[in-house]
Amino acid sequence: MEVRKASSSDVESMQKLIQQFADIGLMLPRTIKSLCEHLQCFTVAVENDKVIGVAGLHVLWKDLAEIRSLAVDPDLHGRGVGRKIVEQLLQEAEKLGIAQVLSLTYQTQFFEKLDFHVVRKESLPHKVWKDCIYCNKFYHCDEVAMVYYTHHYDGFQAAKEA
Ligand SMILES: CC(C)(COP(=O)(O)OP(=O)(O)OC[C@H]1O[C@@H](n2cnc3c(N)ncnc32)[C@H](O)[C@@H]1OP(=O)(O)O)[C@@H](O)C(=O)NCCC(=O)NCCS
């Protein structure tokens, strides 16, 4: 398996992978247009020339980025594909100097394995005021906010020990 930045020839496979989970309410759908506009954000896992996993790192503010549209081929769950993609995105966040990486998710156990911590959504004002207020789930959002603290986070040591 290779984990690499997405290219334009991956876009249709990325969209299909995401759509099958959007259809069952696990994640938001992405249009081809939106995937193209944010192509530089995305990383894919590829095996035998097939896209088997995808996720994007979107910078929201100078100290905050978000992992979005994480999806792994359902036939290949539990093989470490999701972990490899997220680890790559966390390295990217470190290189960009980002202090916190956010995920809004139902997959809390997966993200706990990757050292994310549950936080209150109110502790992330840039996310709430940039995106959440425009979401139709705003008043009844049941996703869990989880944050990974990079080495750029001021309270890095305390956060790791918490
Ligand atoms: C969540 C998802 C991306 C995980 O991908 P994956 O490739 O199956 O996960 P991995 O094999 O890399 O798992 C990494 C670790 O998390 C654990 N894990 C993964 N999914 C888990 C789950 N649902 N519950 C508990 N543990 C889980 C694995 O056991 C593994 O633990 P280990 O390192 O101790 O062996 C995948 O299940 C998926 O695509 N789900 C549907 C879409 C979705 O919900 N996306 C998240 C949107 S935020």
Side-chain angles (χ1 to χ4, degrees):
M1 175 188 33
E2 180 193 10
V3 176
R4 58 159 170 78
K5 293 298 285 179
S7 68
S8 60
S9 60
D10 301 319
V11 167
E12 286 191 15
S13 312
M14 290 159 58
Q15 203 262 344
K16 284 192 187 128
L17 212 45
I18 294 165
Q19 189 60 45
Q20 60 189 305
F21 294 115
D23 287 342
I24 55 172
L26 277 184
M27 56 204 291
L28 295 172
R30 298 291 298 234
T31 60
I32 295 282
K33 175 176 181 281
S34 152
L35 291 171
C36 290
E37 283 174 353
H38 299 101
L39 190 57
Q40 297 100 318
C41 298
F42 280 93
T43 285
V44 289
V46 179
E47 196 167 71
N48 301 325
D49 294 329
K50 187 180 171 215
V51 175
I52 59 168
V54 61
L57 182 81
H58 295 251
V59 178
L60 299 176
W61 203 249
K62 58 185 181 177
D63 61 352
L64 182 66
E66 180 180 12
I67 290 182
R68 288 190 191 159
S69 306
L70 168 64
V72 171
D73 183 329
D75 293 334
L76 301 171
H77 284 182
R79 276 190 30 189
V81 179
R83 174 189 283 280
K84 285 216 171 68
I85 294 171
V86 171
E87 283 174 349
Q88 190 109 328
L89 295 179
L90 295 175
Q91 277 178 29
E92 215 174 294
E94 292 276 7
K95 279 190 201 146
L96 287 167
I98 302 285
Q100 300 179 74
V101 181
L102 160 72
S103 174
L104 279 175
T105 187
Y106 300 113
Q107 306 290 346
T108 51
Q109 288 173 310
F110 168 77
F111 280 100
E112 270 165 11
K113 292 264 169 145
L114 285 151
D115 225 3
F116 282 68
H117 303 262
V118 175
V119 296
R120 290 181 311 115
K121 292 185 191 94
E122 298 72 26
S123 70
L124 302 161
H126 290 116
K127 172 64 186 168
V128 173
W129 295 112
K130 271 187 77 181
D131 295 327
C132 294
I133 51 166
Y134 302 110
C135 178
N136 55 13
K137 279 187 175 177
F138 184 54
Y139 290 106
H140 50 91
C141 176
D142 55 354
E143 290 181 326
V144 179
M146 299 186 76
V147 162
Y148 176 92
Y149 301 101
T150 75
H151 290 83
H152 303 284
Y153 184 68
D154 275 347
F156 176 74
Q157 203 50 45
K160 291 283 160 194
E161 287 161 8

